[in-house]
């Protein structure tokens, strides 16, 4: 390990060399997972049950650190306290039934700068050639990089329909000659593809396709043909939008929106309530596990109906 942060009671580090694999190590299903690769997942090579145990340990550790901090503050201020209220015991983490394909929102970036890991990465960084030639990429950014994108054809965080939408959008936007946005020169038109999914009151799947672009209202006519193709191929796509932004950052938030097809929201049912989710909405990205959480809170609150909440 290389120590990166050192405190009085603990230290944090990064792996330099792995001498032997952990008993908890598994083969990750995603071909894009790994060092210098996609930045979307961090623990796919770690068994899910061990992930849950590790997360439980991390929460317990955080509570202990807070308690230690309180004791230190009490000693500094010399307050007279008979006892320090103890933190509750942390119960085991409740796992999700779906280890993969659980996210209801994914944001993919367009770019003209492709990230190729391993040997090609080393070759480029050593300066042999300014960049790996590519004029069109759609995927996810590696961790710590804002300027390059790794081409992704299948993401295990979203379901197969969403992956099919991803690949169709890549194929069609490239064929249409749309210019991907360059995060360094800030030149280009098509910026992000946001795919949202939900399950409505009829237990039917719904999808929203949000194309984030630079500001150019005249392009909505061009994108309408793509919207029609998406709806024809994927009947569960109930919303297609163009979100336009002037920001120089990598945000998917659109200051202006043009509805290309359907309605400007999808519907998600949680605990018997129907929520309308728009393109700019913040919503629980794992709705099935979110429902588990809310039910646990309701059970712990033990409400009788006479409380004012």
């Amino acid at each position: 390990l290389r120590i990166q942060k050192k405190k009085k009671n603990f230290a944090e580090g990064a792996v330099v060399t792995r001498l032997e694999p952990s008993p908890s190590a598994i083969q990750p299903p995603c071909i894009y997972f790994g060092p210098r690769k996609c930045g979307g997942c961090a623990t796919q090579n770690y068994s899910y049950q061990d992930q849950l145990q590790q997360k439980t340990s991390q929460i317990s550790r955080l509570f202990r650190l807070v308690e230690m901090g309180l004791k230190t503050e009490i000693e500094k201020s010399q307050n007279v306290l008979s006892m320090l209220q103890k933190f509750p015991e942390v119960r085991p983490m409740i796992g999700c039934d779906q280890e993969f394909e659980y996210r209801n929102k994914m944001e993919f970036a367009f770019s003209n700068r492709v990230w190729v890991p391993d040997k090609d990465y080393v070759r480029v960084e050593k300066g042999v050639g300014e960049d790996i030639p590519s004029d069109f990429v759609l995927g996810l950014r590696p961790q710590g990089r804002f300027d390059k994108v790794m081409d992704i054809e299948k993401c295990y965080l979203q379901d197969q329909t969403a992956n099919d939408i991803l690949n169709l959008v890549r194929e069609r936007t490239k064929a249409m000659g749309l210019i991907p946005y360059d995060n360094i020169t800030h030149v280009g038109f098509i910026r992000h593809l946001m795919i949202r999914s939900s399950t409505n009151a009829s237990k039917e799947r719904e999808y929203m396709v949000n194309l984030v672009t630079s500001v150019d209202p005249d392009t909505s006519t061009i994108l309408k043909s793509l919207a029609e193709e998406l709806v024809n191929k994927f009947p569960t796509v109930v919303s297609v939008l163009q979100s336009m932004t002037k920001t120089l950052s990598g945000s998917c938030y659109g200051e202006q929106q043009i509805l290309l097809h359907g309605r400007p929201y999808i519907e998600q049912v949680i605990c018997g309530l129907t929520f309308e989710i728009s393109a700019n909405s913040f919503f629980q990205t794992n709705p099935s596990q979110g429902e588990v959480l809310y039910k646990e809170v309701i059970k712990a609150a033990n409400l009788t109906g006479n409380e004012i909440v």
Side-chain angles (χ1 to χ4, degrees):
L1 289 177
R2 178 183 292 115
I3 300 300
Q4 296 179 319
K5 183 186 294 185
K6 188 176 181 181
K7 297 289 184 179
K8 182 179 179 181
N9 299 309
F10 70 95
E12 295 179 1
V15 175
V16 176
T17 304
R18 185 170 282 105
L19 301 180
E20 61 181 67
S22 164
S24 302
I26 61 172
Q27 181 64 35
C30 181
I31 62 172
Y32 306 108
F33 176 83
R36 302 190 187 280
K37 292 187 178 181
C38 170
C41 296
T43 55
Q44 266 196 28
N45 59 340
Y46 199 47
S47 75
Y48 187 55
Q49 289 305 314
D50 286 322
Q51 288 182 43
L52 296 177
Q53 293 177 12
Q54 185 61 231
K55 289 176 182 177
T56 303
S57 299
Q58 289 174 3
I59 297 298
S60 299
R61 175 173 169 271
L62 288 173
F63 275 123
R64 290 198 302 271
L65 289 174
V66 171
E67 187 174 10
M68 289 165 55
L70 287 176
K71 287 180 178 177
T72 302
E73 291 301 316
I74 291 168
E75 291 170 359
K76 287 181 180 178
S77 61
Q78 297 181 345
N79 290 338
V80 180
L81 294 176
S82 58
M83 62 179 293
L84 181 69
Q85 182 179 2
K86 292 186 179 296
F87 288 99
E89 180 182 355
V90 177
R91 290 182 291 175
M93 197 74 62
I94 300 175
C96 183
D97 290 338
Q98 287 181 263
E99 187 176 348
F100 298 105
E101 299 187 8
Y102 60 85
R103 278 191 68 97
N104 64 359
K105 175 188 174 185
M106 285 296 296
E107 298 174 355
F108 299 95
F110 288 90
S111 180
N112 60 344
R113 299 175 186 268
V114 64
W115 174 272
V116 180
D118 304 327
K119 292 181 180 180
D120 284 332
Y121 167 82
V122 174
R123 178 176 62 82
V124 172
E125 292 302 309
K126 286 183 176 178
V128 182
E130 185 177 343
D131 212 334
I132 296 174
S134 176
D135 58 356
F136 200 97
V137 189
L138 175 59
L140 296 170
R141 300 189 190 282
Q143 185 177 7
R145 298 300 296 251
F146 76 96
D147 55 333
K148 295 177 185 285
V149 170
M150 186 172 186
D151 210 33
I152 302 288
E153 293 185 359
K154 179 175 182 177
C155 176
Y156 277 80
L157 298 181
Q158 63 180 9
D159 65 24
Q160 188 56 50
T161 298
N163 282 315
D164 291 340
I165 291 172
L166 165 67
N167 290 314
L168 177 64
V169 170
R170 174 194 294 104
E171 176 189 334
R172 296 303 302 133
T173 49
K174 185 175 182 179
M176 293 163 69
L178 301 182
I179 301 174
Y181 187 77
D182 189 317
N183 263 15
I184 295 180
T185 64
H186 303 296
V187 174
F189 170 68
I190 190 84
R191 295 184 175 216
H192 291 93
L193 165 65
M194 178 196 294
I195 304 174
R196 285 184 180 267
S197 60
S198 65
T199 303
N200 61 25
S202 300
K203 297 185 178 181
E204 299 170 337
R205 295 290 283 167
E206 294 187 355
Y207 293 86
M208 171 188 288
V209 179
N210 181 22
L211 299 159
V212 184
T213 72
S214 300
V215 178
D216 188 350
D218 295 336
T219 56
S220 61
T221 303
I222 300 173
L223 293 179
K224 277 184 179 179
S225 63
L226 174 58
E228 291 174 1
E229 189 169 351
L230 281 166
V231 174
N232 290 334
K233 187 162 186 177
F234 306 103
T236 49
V237 172
V238 300
S239 176
V240 184
L241 304 103
Q242 177 185 4
S243 294
M244 293 181 285
T245 179
K246 295 179 180 178
T247 182
L248 300 182
S249 71
S251 171
C252 286
Y253 186 91
E255 297 98 33
Q256 303 177 49
Q257 287 184 344
I258 298 175
L259 184 62
L260 302 174
H261 169 80
R263 42 181 158 88
Y265 62 88
I266 54 177
E267 295 182 348
Q268 173 68 53
V269 173
I270 292 185
C271 295
L273 301 174
T274 298
F275 297 86
E276 295 180 357
I277 308 172
S278 64
N280 289 338
S281 294
F282 174 81
F283 197 78
Q284 168 61 254
T285 54
N286 187 343
S288 62
Q289 193 70 347
E291 188 166 48
V292 173
L293 171 63
Y294 304 145
K295 287 179 178 178
E296 285 292 315
V297 172
I298 292 170
K299 183 169 66 175
N302 195 26
L303 300 176
T304 64
N306 298 319
E307 298 87 354
I308 298 176
V309 180

